Amino acid sequence: MLKHPTTVEATSSFPTKATVHAADTGVPFPWDPKLRSIKQLTDRGEYKLALERLSKSTSDHESMNCRGVCLLRMREFSKAIGPLRLIALNASTFRVHDEVAKHIKLNFALALFFGGEAAGGLETLSQIDGTESDPSAMMMRQQARQWSSSMSWFRRLDWYLNRIAPKQGPIAPDEPVGRFVWDLDRTE
């Protein structure tokens, strides 16, 4: 379940050497000191300012994930595809990297799905193991069902057989989509 803190205390701080165990990888994630300030900005909903302060280094997966999630939450879905593609997609096989954390792969699928590449989003989702009960994956599947049921009979047939999507893509839900590393349930 997604957890969204409602307030951030100015006096709270993270230990410099703290680690967060990403439940979907089992590997500890060392907190980048800059991500602490990004977390405070995103907790306040200041996604544009957080995006401006984030590094563009592609070697830091969580920083690139933060860029993508900020864009997702600003409803700039097609712009979120770029930074998430750099870290989630293996360019030689056009499949998601197995070693990338599940929340990053799901964010990439969401960006594709709501960013005008619905078939790509669903294909990416199908490549991610263990998404049966994941809230983001379940929401995406529900949105896909609603979207396809709103199509005409001919469009729906073309979508199912040929994966040709109508110009009007799926509508994103009103609630924020995408997950930062600190949104993960650490008790899993």
Side-chain angles (χ1 to χ4, degrees):
M1 178 170 214
L2 294 177
K3 294 183 180 182
H4 298 285
T6 55
T7 60
V8 176
E9 295 179 1
T11 58
S12 93
S13 64
F14 296 97
T16 308
K17 302 288 183 186
T19 59
V20 174
H21 293 280
D24 55 346
T25 63
V27 178
F29 169 71
W31 278 98
D32 177 344
K34 193 164 192 169
L35 286 183
R36 285 184 254 151
S37 66
I38 299 303
K39 180 185 183 318
Q40 291 175 345
L41 290 171
T42 59
D43 285 346
R44 293 191 304 257
E46 296 179 28
Y47 302 116
K48 186 172 182 167
L49 185 57
L51 190 60
E52 292 169 2
R53 292 189 183 173
L54 277 163
S55 166
K56 293 183 180 179
S57 169
T58 58
S59 63
D60 182 1
H61 286 192
E62 286 305 334
S63 182
M64 290 300 284
N65 181 59
C66 287
R67 293 186 72 71
V69 176
C70 285
L71 289 164
L72 288 172
R73 294 201 177 172
M74 292 167 49
R75 304 184 75 74
E76 298 281 347
F77 301 108
S78 60
K79 289 181 182 178
I81 294 171
L84 293 167
R85 177 183 288 142
L86 288 173
I87 56 175
L89 190 67
N90 183 336
S92 62
T93 63
F94 295 107
R95 295 189 55 81
V96 291
H97 284 288
D98 290 334
E99 67 275 3
V100 172
K102 183 170 69 174
H103 69 282
I104 295 174
K105 293 185 270 190
L106 282 168
N107 289 337
F108 178 54
L110 288 166
L112 287 169
F113 186 70
F114 293 120
E117 302 292 333
L122 292 171
E123 174 63 26
T124 300
L125 182 63
S126 73
Q127 295 175 25
I128 307 169
D129 294 329
T131 61
E132 295 77 26
S133 62
D134 184 277
S136 295
M138 290 179 4
M139 177 273 300
M140 194 169 137
R141 288 185 191 103
Q142 177 62 31
Q143 292 297 107
R145 282 190 294 274
Q146 288 176 352
W147 176 57
S148 67
S149 70
S150 70
M151 295 177 197
S152 68
W153 180 85
F154 177 74
R155 284 284 171 216
R156 193 173 317 132
L157 182 65
D158 207 19
W159 167 248
Y160 285 121
L161 294 178
N162 305 315
R163 284 300 196 211
I164 297 175
K167 291 185 191 247
Q168 175 62 38
I171 306 293
D174 291 334
E175 69 265 4
V177 297
R179 275 194 216 144
F180 296 105
V181 68
W182 49 82
D183 290 336
L184 299 175
D185 183 3
R186 289 163 191 77
T187 62
E188 292 179 345

